[in-house]
């Protein structure tokens, strides 16, 4: 037998230790060729004053094994603590979150007996960068950052995943009818990369109708690829409508490392009672085995698990009078799976895995070269709360200090144009965006912009809270227009 594959394991908090023991018992009984290295994460580590919840020495194990099987942790209440999941994803570059969801009808009750889909969620960008600022007394902002390499990586991953797992269709969910630049980039890259996969059906849906389809007709969806926030929300919906959030596993995949975990939390109220369902972590461990090239063992465990579910041997969370036959605890459920190793379900479709190393699904991106970048103006954001917030007064003040080469084009308030043309019904907050741009779109310089800012500060005596430069990239306008601009 080849040398055992080292993996890093964390038992976590709450129900974590029970479900991890159950999962590892199954893995060992099935003959998984693994050598777990245990690291400490969660409550114990947080209480030692480590704000990330993971001991600095644990990174050495993660960097050397590159594979992390993680039980849930309890997130401490109060400020000063960082999310362990976000830290692990960003530190190890785990850019793809993969969540398969499948119905196990009629054994686990669901309205969608044909549901069988995979959500591939971008994991590193979007609003999750957590860049937030209070800008005025009334307005806070959270920056949504989307990069082309980030889009290329996750979208290519989704197509490669579909190819490797013989999925037929990839559906992209965005909100690019509103966020034309940010979500528009994701959609554009989806179209570009999709062309390289002629055998896979491609479709795009606006996230709102996409979510409605997911909730109502999930059997029409196959692989879904989407941005971080949308993916976060829809993956819980998909898991719930499949039957139970307690069953789902997820993989976080990077170029060199990967982390596998159940999608549920540490469930403190049922901890230590031997009643938690270990299935979420078992399903995560199955994905891990495929990832490390032990697909035969993954298949064996998955089919034994399906057989156990089909036999009606259920933990309390999925137990239903009529469909279930026996209610069991965590340990007894694991024993039932172990007893079924080598068997396949008779009514539920058995799984067949081929060897897929998920990290190989990553391909180098080919970011388009930017050949020209022209500075054409500036958006100046102001905190202004005078003259009954009359936009005309503000407009006149700004026009008085704007140079001829960079006149005031418009002022908007929360994205709606309020000057020179505005509607009396539009609400004015204390947060104003004032756009200065050459009428014929001629380029400007940083010196002109700095001079303008100095005059707004010194002469108009207005409170500048931030600025955004306006550019044309490769001859195309690279900023959005305000409503009514
Ligand atoms: P939770 O998922 O722990 O629990 C939600 C509900 O589902 C509870 O009723 C719980 O009893 C039940 N449940 C969850 N897993 C179960 C299982 N395996 N078997 C049977 N029932 C199960 O979510 P929560 O209560 O919002 O969070 C509890 C703690 O877990 C919090 O500290 C939260 O921050 C943390 N959390 C951690 C992770 C993670 O480590 N990946 C993920 C989510 C939540």
């Amino acid at each position: 037998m080849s040398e055992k594959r080292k993996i890093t394991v964390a038992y976590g908090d709450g129900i974590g230790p029970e479900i991890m023991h159950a999962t590892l018992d199954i893995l060992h009984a099935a003959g998984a060729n693994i050598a777990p290295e245990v690291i400490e994460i969660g409550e114990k580590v947080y209480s030692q004053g480590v704000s990330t919840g993971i001991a600095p020495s644990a990174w050495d194990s993660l960097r050397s094994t590159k594979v992390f099987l993680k039980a849930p942790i309890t997130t401490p209440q109060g400020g000063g603590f960082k999310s362990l999941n976000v830290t692990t994803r960003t530190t190890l570059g785990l850019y793809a979150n993969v969540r398969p969801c499948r119905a196990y009808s009629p054994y686990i009750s669901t309205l969608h007996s044909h549901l069988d889909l995979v959500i591939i969620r971008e994991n590193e960008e979007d609003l999750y960068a957590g860049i937030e600022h209070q800008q005025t007394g009334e307005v806070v902002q959270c920056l949504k950052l989307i990069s082309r390499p980030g889009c290329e990586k996750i979208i290519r991953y989704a197509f490669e995943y579909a190819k490797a797992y013989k999925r037929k269709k990839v559906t992209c969910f965005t909100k690019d009818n509103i966020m034309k630049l940010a979500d528009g980039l994701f959609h554009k890259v989806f179209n570009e990369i999709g062309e390289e996969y002629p055998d896979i059906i491609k479709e795009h849906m606006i996230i709102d109708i996409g979510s409605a389809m997911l909730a109502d007709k999930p059997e029409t969806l196959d692989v879904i690829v989407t941005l971080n926030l949308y993916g976060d929300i829809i993956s819980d919906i998909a898991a719930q409508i499949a039957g139970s959030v307690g069953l789902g596993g997820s993989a976080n995949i990077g170029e060199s490392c990967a982390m596998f975990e159940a999608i549920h939390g540490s469930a403190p109220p049922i901890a230590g009672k031997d009643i938690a369902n270990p299935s979420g972590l078992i399903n995560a461990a199955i994905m891990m085995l495929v990832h490390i090239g032990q697909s035969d063992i993954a298949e064996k465990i998955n089919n034994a698990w399906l057989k156990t579910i089909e036999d009606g041997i259920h933990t309390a969370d999925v137990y239903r009078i009529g469909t279930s036959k026996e209610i069991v605890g965590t340990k007894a459920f694991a024993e039932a799976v172990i007893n079924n190793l080598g068997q396949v379900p008779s009514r539920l479709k058995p799984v067949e895995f081929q060897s897929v190393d998920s990290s190989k699904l990553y391909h180098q991106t080919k970011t388009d070269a930017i050949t020209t970048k022209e500075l054409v103006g500036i958006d100046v954001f102001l905190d202004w709360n005078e003259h009954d917030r009359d936009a005309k007064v503000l407009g006149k003040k700004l026009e008085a200090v704007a140079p001829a080469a960079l006149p005031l084009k418009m002022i908007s308030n929360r994205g709606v144009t309020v000057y020179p043309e505005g509607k009396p019904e539009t609400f004015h907050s204390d947060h104003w965006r004032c756009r200065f741009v050459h009428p014929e779109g001629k380029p400007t310089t940083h010196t002109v912009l700095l001079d303008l800012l100095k005059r707004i500060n010194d002469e108009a005596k207005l409170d500048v809270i931030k600025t955004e430069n306006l550019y044309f990239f490769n001859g195309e306008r690279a900023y959005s227009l305000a409503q009514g601009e």
Side-chain angles (χ1 to χ4, degrees):
M1 193 181 237
S2 60
E3 205 184 323
K4 285 191 188 314
R5 174 70 160 86
K6 282 190 182 161
I7 61 164
T8 302
V9 162
Y11 283 82
D13 303 320
I15 59 171
E18 305 158 58
I19 60 172
M20 183 58 86
H21 279 299
T23 302
L24 290 177
D25 283 351
I26 296 170
L27 262 60
H28 290 310
N33 195 23
I34 52 166
E37 279 184 11
V38 177
I39 60 163
E40 203 70 69
I41 57 165
E43 274 179 324
K44 239 190 244 164
V45 184
Y46 280 116
S47 69
Q48 288 160 4
V50 182
S51 67
T52 50
I54 176 164
S57 57
W59 293 108
D60 296 338
S61 171
L62 290 171
R63 277 195 201 95
S64 94
T65 69
K66 302 189 187 318
V67 173
F68 186 16
L69 182 62
K70 173 183 164 289
I73 61 149
T74 303
T75 318
Q77 301 289 312
F81 299 108
K82 292 196 180 118
S83 155
L84 172 65
N85 268 0
V86 174
T87 305
T88 317
R89 281 175 197 158
T90 48
T91 309
L92 299 178
L94 308 180
Y95 67 89
N97 184 295
V98 184
R99 269 200 198 181
C101 287
R102 184 183 156 185
Y104 305 103
S105 182
Y107 307 102
I108 293 193
S109 133
T110 169
L111 296 173
H112 306 285
S113 52
H114 297 293
L115 183 155
D116 180 8
L117 55 86
V118 182
I119 295 174
I120 297 186
R121 158 191 169 197
E122 199 288 317
N123 228 1
E124 294 180 297
E125 305 197 333
D126 200 345
L127 293 156
Y128 287 63
I131 307 174
E132 297 189 286
H133 302 92
Q134 173 143 12
Q135 299 200 317
T136 66
E138 292 176 354
V139 175
V140 290
Q141 78 165 11
C142 176
L143 283 184
K144 172 161 177 158
L145 294 178
I146 305 296
S147 76
R148 181 174 254 277
C151 296
E152 287 180 0
K153 272 201 288 190
I154 191 69
I155 288 165
R156 189 172 293 287
Y157 182 88
F159 279 109
E160 286 293 325
Y161 181 99
K163 203 164 98 177
Y165 288 88
K166 300 199 173 12
R167 297 263 172 181
K168 294 190 172 56
K169 182 168 81 169
V170 180
T171 305
C172 173
F173 282 3
T174 73
K175 186 79 184 169
D176 67 340
N177 53 335
I178 301 295
M179 282 158 280
K180 297 191 166 74
L181 290 185
D183 287 29
L185 177 61
F186 197 88
H187 188 175
K188 187 171 162 199
V189 172
F190 176 77
N191 289 343
E192 284 170 16
I193 290 183
E195 278 180 23
E196 296 172 33
Y197 298 87
D199 298 335
I200 296 174
I201 302 166
K202 288 149 288 262
E203 126 187 294
H204 172 266
M205 286 187 199
I206 299 295
I207 181 72
D208 24 0
I209 191 63
S211 307
M213 288 301 285
L214 175 65
D216 189 38
K217 295 192 171 61
E219 66 282 358
T220 60
L221 294 158
D222 194 351
V223 174
I224 298 171
V225 64
T226 189
L227 297 102
N228 204 342
L229 175 63
Y230 311 141
D232 195 0
I233 297 167
I234 64 166
S235 0
D236 272 19
I237 297 175
Q240 181 68 30
I241 63 171
S244 164
V245 277
L247 301 181
S250 84
N252 290 274
I253 308 285
E255 281 170 56
S256 61
C257 298
M259 172 171 85
F260 302 85
E261 62 180 344
I263 65 174
H264 59 74
S266 59
I270 60 165
K273 297 184 176 160
D274 190 38
I275 53 175
N277 188 347
S279 298
L281 194 58
I282 297 171
N283 279 320
I286 289 168
M287 294 166 84
M288 177 193 76
L289 290 172
V290 176
H291 175 79
I292 61 175
Q294 300 186 22
S295 324
D296 49 340
I297 309 291
E299 202 173 290
K300 192 163 145 189
I301 296 173
N302 205 340
N303 285 328
W305 180 82
L306 287 168
K307 172 93 172 63
T308 310
I309 294 294
E310 195 180 84
D311 288 347
I313 304 192
H314 294 166
T315 44
D317 55 315
V318 290
Y319 182 87
R320 297 283 176 281
I321 293 169
T323 44
S324 304
K325 291 217 175 75
E326 191 186 339
I327 188 162
V328 288
T330 315
K331 274 192 206 139
F333 182 81
E335 277 158 23
V337 175
I338 291 170
N339 287 338
N340 281 333
L341 286 168
Q343 301 196 52
V344 290
S346 46
R347 281 190 63 194
L348 289 171
K349 195 172 152 220
V351 293
E352 248 180 77
F353 292 128
Q354 50 196 323
S355 212
V356 180
D357 177 351
S358 309
S359 66
K360 297 282 184 316
L361 298 180
Y362 173 74
H363 288 249
Q364 195 56 46
T365 59
K366 52 166 182 70
T367 298
D368 279 352
I370 297 291
T371 49
T372 60
K373 176 182 178 184
E374 282 176 329
L375 180 65
V376 297
I378 188 168
D379 278 349
V380 180
F381 291 77
L382 301 175
D383 180 352
W384 189 68
N385 191 19
E386 290 163 23
H387 298 278
D388 289 333
R389 301 183 181 180
D390 181 346
K392 283 201 189 67
V393 175
L394 183 60
K396 297 295 170 214
K397 271 176 179 277
L398 290 167
E399 277 166 355
V401 294
L406 203 65
L408 176 71
K409 186 177 179 216
M410 64 95 191
I411 302 174
S412 72
N413 196 297
R414 299 188 309 161
V416 182
T417 304
V418 292
Y419 184 84
E421 300 294 332
K423 304 271 184 302
E425 295 82 8
T426 306
F427 174 76
H428 293 172
S429 75
D430 55 1
H431 185 269
W432 307 82
R433 187 262 301 261
C434 312
R435 175 161 288 173
F436 296 85
V437 61
H438 194 283
E440 287 150 33
K442 287 203 179 135
T444 186
T445 64
H446 287 90
T447 312
V448 172
L449 300 187
L450 288 171
D451 184 49
L452 169 68
L453 291 176
K454 190 165 166 30
R455 292 172 71 175
I456 293 174
N457 184 65
D458 296 352
E459 295 171 31
K461 308 244 180 282
L462 292 165
D463 181 9
V464 176
I465 49 172
K466 80 158 191 168
T467 62
E468 291 286 349
N469 292 351
L470 305 177
Y471 291 104
F472 270 59
F473 281 102
N474 290 351
E476 276 188 43
R477 177 171 47 80
Y479 51 90
S480 62
L481 299 180
Q483 281 170 46
E485 182 177 350

